[in-house]
Amino acid sequence: ITKTSGADYDAVVIGAGFGGLYAVHKLRNEQGLNVRGYDSASDVGGTWWWNRYPGALSDTESYVYRYSFDKELLQKGRWKTRYLTQPEILEYMNEVADHLDLRRSYKFDTKVDGAHYNEKTGLWNVITDSGETVTAKYLVTGLGLLSATNVPKFKGIDDFKGRILHTGAWPEGVDLSNKRVGIIGTGSTGVQVITATAPIAKHLTVFQRSAQYVVPIGNTPQDDATIAEQKANYDNIWNQVKNSVVAFGFEESAEPAETASPEERERVFEAAWQRGGGFYFMFGTFCDIATSQVANDAAADFIKGKIKKIVKDPKVAEKLTPKDLYAKRPLCGNNYYEVYNRDNVTLADVKADPIAEFTPNGIRLESGEEHELDIVIFATGFDAVDGNYVKMDLRGRGGVTMRDTWKEGPLGYLGMMEVDFPNFFMILGPNGPFTNLPPSIETQVEWIADTICAMEKEGVQSVEPTVEARDAWVRTCREIADMTLFPKAESWIFGANIPGKKNAVMFYMAGIGNYRNAINAVKEEGYTSLIRNRTAEKV
Ligand code: FAD
Ligand code: NA7
């Protein structure tokens, strides 16, 4: 039964990843709204439905890469190692969907092509590729921030006789064993697929554009006693996580590297290297690696020293040594640099000698050198954060399009709302927190559900942020980002990975604790930063 008169549904939720699933649960199971979900995937899982490439793994530790809201689910949680593999996460998401009976609200294999706000009815018209259009009062989008694949265009690609795959749309049943495999890209995904492919491929050629700082992941087995202790301690763990900066389950360091002695730096970095974890290395060792050039150089030099020691061929070691700041998303991997000591692995430095074209048999570099390949894997990442939003035909008040609103770069209020888009709520929209994501997703979905609940109770017909509130939020995000070194490195965090994409601030970088305080203040102050219409718009 729909509470909104004249609408097919009270709410449409797009996406069946961590975000969408929790939104359906909150709105349907807890608030009794009539909800329809859509996902272009064939089932639940989001990221973990799409990214089935060999080696796909979360680099957030198992005990905090999950929902915190359901105590029963937390106690049922199963993991054997410090990090969860893609099949384990997908299994977990399926369990959540069963436990909360979420699947019945979804239409899978259905892409939402567009959504248009109708001022006359005060409803969203949601248009799908199955030809269906439905109406709803609320539109909640969990489209994913690392979900719209980036497939660079290369000359001659259609002539290649082998197979081309993108890690973010990985089909079932691919066998890499005994094949000549090429991998383009050495980000988080590249590192994982490279380390998993090297031992099974006949030959692996890595096409590296930028050398990366990669620390060990430290994916050790977890004994039952450790897991039992984590489960017994969940209230404290989540309390710490939700009041921290990056929400990864460790205490961030309060010690600056800038003033630490060289011996102290060496000791702390070495301990972190042995412990493992990318975010831990950047945020758990010292507090100023992402903000101070001196501290950043110290961390970078430590990793460069490791590369020199690990990689036997000095020419290869040189190619693997980053030249820029240590200020992209921190990476970690399983014996990553060691891969390049293998006889069946070749490193092609495509910054020095760029890819000229695909040929029928492989990839030819500008120098003329040709690499013969059976399979090419694009580990080239995503049109991150706003990618899926600008791909859709999203139109708000007066027909204003999201593409137009964000043409100079994505904006957004609190990472969840946008001016002229009434009753429109984004999960992990632009300018949301830069963290381990499930706790931020929960934070946002809970705020969205509370806002909708307040609207329903008070008979509010529509909400949207004021221009002033939105602009102030974007300004705050810019100011915080400018205090860090991240904008100085070219990565998806600022939209610098997509040719032609405007470099823009995409995250609130002051941490999840501050973020939670900021959005709770908006609620507690009675949503004064939102325009709240009590009457239906003109009929
Ligand atoms: P997603 O899981 O991306 O789900 C979005 C869903 O929306 C997709 O299923 C998609 O099909 C659907 N969709 C999008 N547009 C449409 C449309 N127009 N119509 C219909 N359906 C649509 N985060 C961490 O915190 N820690 C990690 O260790 C980590 N590892 C990662 C590893 C990989 C390989 C990748 C790609 C991401 C990783 N992430 C990690 C980020 C990860 O995306 C988030 O943790 C989380 O899964 C995001 O959930 P979500 O529901 O917001 O989006
Ligand atoms: P990333 O981090 O964006 O990495 C993509 C990689 O692909 C990176 O090494 C790029 O080099 C490389 N790339 C992109 N385009 C090209 C072209 N045209 N030629 C050569 N190389 C190219 O994506 P990931 O999937 O690894 O990770 C994204 C997030 O998903 C990650 O942070 C996790 O949270 C999960 P570049 O460095 O730009 O020179």
Side-chain angles (χ1 to χ4, degrees):
I1 303 157
T2 305
K3 288 186 179 172
T4 317
S5 72
D8 298 320
Y9 298 96
D10 296 307
V12 161
V13 173
I14 313 174
F18 271 97
L21 290 180
Y22 190 37
V24 171
H25 169 62
K26 290 293 284 185
L27 298 180
R28 190 198 73 186
N29 294 348
E30 289 190 2
Q31 294 185 19
L33 299 188
N34 191 355
V35 180
R36 157 58 63 86
Y38 292 105
D39 201 305
S40 49
S42 305
D43 206 337
V44 300
T47 293
W48 306 99
W49 190 89
W50 290 101
N51 289 264
R52 294 162 191 249
Y53 58 86
L57 187 81
S58 158
D59 64 10
T60 301
E61 288 185 45
S62 307
Y63 70 110
V64 286
Y65 195 71
R66 56 191 62 244
Y67 293 116
S68 73
F69 71 88
D70 188 311
K71 291 200 171 176
E72 196 185 323
L73 268 174
L74 280 175
Q75 293 307 318
K76 274 196 197 156
R78 292 184 306 281
W79 59 96
K80 298 187 201 78
T81 44
R82 238 173 94 194
Y83 303 92
L84 296 166
T85 59
Q86 173 271 333
E88 291 173 294
I89 306 171
L90 193 56
E91 192 182 314
Y92 167 75
M93 311 274 317
N94 274 283
E95 262 176 42
V96 172
D98 290 341
H99 176 71
L100 303 171
D101 188 21
L102 299 174
R103 263 193 206 85
R104 69 179 161 86
S105 289
Y106 274 94
K107 266 204 166 178
F108 293 106
D109 293 310
T110 309
K111 185 163 156 265
V112 176
D113 285 332
H116 303 167
Y117 183 69
N118 181 332
E119 285 159 80
K120 292 204 178 102
T121 57
L123 301 176
W124 282 94
N125 287 2
V126 181
I127 307 135
T128 71
D129 67 352
S130 65
E132 181 185 52
T133 298
V134 298
T135 55
K137 180 172 176 184
Y138 302 105
L139 178 60
V140 181
T141 53
L143 307 183
L145 52 67
L146 294 157
S147 162
T149 51
N150 168 39
V151 185
K153 292 185 176 55
F154 291 105
K155 201 176 140 203
I157 203 158
D158 294 334
D159 302 331
F160 180 56
K161 287 189 295 199
R163 200 163 177 195
I164 294 178
L165 302 165
H166 191 289
T167 51
W170 195 267
E172 292 283 4
V174 179
D175 183 8
L176 299 177
S177 57
N178 262 328
K179 301 278 190 329
R180 296 167 305 172
V181 181
I183 298 179
I184 304 178
T186 52
S188 287
T189 304
V191 165
Q192 292 183 352
V193 74
I194 287 165
T195 49
T197 305
I200 55 171
K202 182 171 177 189
H203 193 88
L204 169 63
T205 308
V206 176
F207 297 88
Q208 170 194 277
R209 190 166 67 181
S210 303
Q212 307 277 5
Y213 297 97
V214 186
V215 306
I217 187 165
N219 194 9
T220 46
Q222 295 277 269
D223 55 75
D224 291 346
T226 307
I227 296 173
E229 199 184 309
Q230 285 167 336
K231 285 187 177 176
N233 203 22
Y234 257 131
D235 287 349
N236 293 333
I237 288 171
W238 291 120
N239 189 35
Q240 188 277 333
V241 163
K242 290 176 187 176
N243 288 295
S244 70
V245 180
V246 290
F248 268 76
F250 59 80
E251 290 286 348
E252 286 97 10
S253 171
E255 298 299 319
E258 226 181 75
T259 48
S261 67
E263 296 74 30
E264 176 64 0
R265 288 179 189 164
E266 181 71 19
R267 188 188 65 74
V268 172
F269 287 140
E270 183 58 38
W273 186 271
Q274 297 307 328
R275 176 196 184 278
F279 272 77
Y280 183 80
F281 197 90
M282 191 179 271
F283 297 99
T285 49
F286 294 103
C287 63
D288 53 353
I289 291 176
T291 51
S292 144
Q293 184 69 56
V294 173
N296 197 269
D297 286 347
D301 287 346
F302 178 87
I303 301 173
K304 287 177 188 172
K306 288 286 187 191
I307 299 172
K308 210 169 176 179
K309 267 189 220 139
I310 294 169
V311 182
K312 291 189 183 129
D313 181 336
K315 280 200 198 116
V316 177
E318 180 55 30
K319 284 190 208 168
L320 285 168
T321 302
K323 309 282 179 294
D324 45 3
L325 286 169
Y326 177 43
K328 297 188 182 190
R329 183 190 187 277
L331 308 187
C332 52
N334 186 14
N335 296 330
Y336 176 65
Y337 296 117
E338 284 84 346
V339 161
Y340 299 93
N341 291 334
R342 297 178 64 99
D343 291 339
N344 71 332
V345 175
T346 305
L347 177 65
D349 177 353
V350 298
K351 196 164 257 170
D353 186 5
I355 295 173
E357 61 177 350
F358 277 60
T359 64
N361 298 322
I363 291 179
R364 202 176 58 74
L365 305 181
E366 281 186 2
S367 63
E369 186 179 331
E370 189 171 347
H371 295 270
E372 295 204 346
L373 304 162
D374 303 312
I375 296 182
V376 177
I377 298 173
F378 280 51
T380 44
F382 302 89
D383 185 353
V385 186
D386 59 330
N388 273 336
Y389 287 88
V390 293
K391 273 190 177 175
M392 260 171 76
D393 180 17
L394 267 174
R395 297 186 201 186
R397 192 182 289 291
V400 58
T401 66
M402 197 59 98
R403 270 178 220 137
D404 219 35
T405 307
W406 291 354
K407 66 176 184 296
E408 298 301 326
L411 304 169
Y413 178 55
L414 309 177
M416 293 186 278
M417 301 182 85
E418 187 50 276
V419 170
D420 282 335
F421 285 78
N423 297 351
F424 170 71
F425 297 96
M426 299 174 280
I427 307 165
L428 300 187
N431 293 317
F434 182 71
T435 61
N436 166 37
L437 291 168
S440 288
I441 288 171
E442 280 187 310
T443 295
Q444 293 190 328
V445 172
E446 283 157 16
W447 189 91
I448 292 166
D450 286 350
T451 304
I452 290 177
C453 186
M455 286 175 67
E456 291 296 303
K457 265 199 198 127
E458 294 167 31
V460 172
Q461 296 299 321
S462 74
V463 291
E464 65 198 278
T466 63
V467 174
E468 296 72 33
R470 192 267 322 266
D471 288 352
W473 180 257
V474 173
R475 234 181 359 260
T476 300
C477 292
R478 161 59 71 188
E479 282 164 12
I480 297 164
D482 282 344
M483 289 185 238
T484 76
L485 297 169
F486 284 104
K488 300 198 168 83
E490 289 198 342
S491 76
W492 60 263
I493 301 172
F494 284 83
N497 63 326
I498 303 293
K501 187 163 172 172
K502 294 233 163 76
N503 211 315
V505 177
M506 303 259 228
F507 288 98
Y508 172 83
M509 293 203 147
I512 189 170
N514 288 328
Y515 178 76
R516 287 172 67 87
N517 291 340
I519 66 169
N520 282 337
V522 171
K523 190 166 78 183
E524 275 150 26
E525 284 157 14
Y527 301 104
T528 49
S529 51
L530 301 183
I531 304 164
R532 298 172 6 121
N533 291 318
R534 282 181 192 281
T535 47
E537 304 203 16
K538 262 217 168 76
V539 180

